[in-house]
Structure formats: C-alpha cells, structure tokens
C-alpha cells in the first residue's frame, strides 16, 4: 500500500479570492518622535505594528499589551535602552495617551470594553 498526499493546493498562478498584498493603510503611518531623558526616541505608528507580537502581549492583560505596543513601536535596540531609564507611572500614562492621540486611536488599544 502506498501513502497518498493531498495535491489540491492551487498553484501560485491560479486565481485568488482576496489580494492581501494589495491592501494599504488607510492612515498616514508617520512615526512619532519623543524627547525623553536627553534622547530622541522614534515610535513606529501603531497601525504598522506586527499583529502577532501585539496578540502575544495582550495575553498578559492591559499592562502586557501596553508593553508589547511600546516594545514593537520602538524596536529591539531602542526598547532595550528605553527600559534602562527609570519611568514614573504618571509619565508612562502621559506617553501612552499622547501616542494614542498621534495614532488616532480611541480609549485604549490594549483592551476593548463592551
């Protein structure tokens, strides 16, 4: 008896139902720049962040989601340096609110409530 494998996967040159490659952002994805602790920090626009990293961060609740947003927005190198600077909570709140405003986001990107 021989083993059969499924061969019904369409070739790449076959028609498709939706072209995700053709989807573009509906907003301007301009990065956001912040001055903090004598340095300029560049945050990528929230709409351009990798959804898989955001989803993993959301598993850690609101704080985990917020940290994932900033880690992804800053990138690995900036995030490592950013975390070395002591950050009072009131400054983090102001930073997050200003970032949300820059990105045109509502009440919270970390969670949604009904």
């Amino acid at each position: 008896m021989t083993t059969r494998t499924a061969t019904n996967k369409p070739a790449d040159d076959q028609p498709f139902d939706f072209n995700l490659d053709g989807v573009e952002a509906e907003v301007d994805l301009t990065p956001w720049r912040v001055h903090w602790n004598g340095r300029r920090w560049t945050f990528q626009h929230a709409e351009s962040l990798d959804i898989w990293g955001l989803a993993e961060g959301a598993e850690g609740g609101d704080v985990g989601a917020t940290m994932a947003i900033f880690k992804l927005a800053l990138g690995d190198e900036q995030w490592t340096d950013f975390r070395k600077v002591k950050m009072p909570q009131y400054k983090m709140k102001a930073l997050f609110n200003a970032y949300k405003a820059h990105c045109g986001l509502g009440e919270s990107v970390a969670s949604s409530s009904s």
Side-chain angles (χ1 to χ4, degrees):
M1 189 185 280
T2 60
T3 304
R4 294 180 56 184
T5 58
T7 57
N8 55 350
K9 179 181 173 189
D12 285 343
D13 64 348
Q14 297 299 307
F16 46 82
D17 296 312
F18 181 71
N19 183 5
L20 189 55
D21 290 332
V23 174
E24 296 190 19
E26 295 179 0
V27 298
D28 179 9
L29 299 178
T30 301
W32 186 61
R33 290 168 185 85
V34 172
H35 188 267
W36 163 243
N37 198 46
R39 178 177 166 177
R40 175 186 298 254
W41 306 91
T42 302
F43 293 75
Q44 297 306 310
H45 193 284
E47 289 284 321
S48 69
L49 302 181
D50 177 48
I51 189 64
W52 308 126
L54 293 173
E56 288 173 10
E59 292 173 359
D62 286 351
V63 172
T66 302
M67 294 301 103
I69 289 166
F70 284 137
K71 181 178 181 180
L72 291 168
L74 286 166
D76 290 337
E77 185 177 325
Q78 283 192 105
W79 175 248
T80 299
D81 291 344
F82 192 76
R83 286 289 314 254
K84 291 177 183 175
V85 181
K86 187 174 180 178
M87 171 82 63
Q89 184 173 343
Y90 73 92
K91 287 191 183 264
M92 178 58 79
K93 284 174 59 177
L95 178 68
F96 192 51
N97 289 334
Y99 179 66
K100 289 189 308 182
H102 168 79
C103 296
L105 302 172
E107 284 292 312
S108 175
V109 295
S111 67
S112 60
S113 57
S114 315

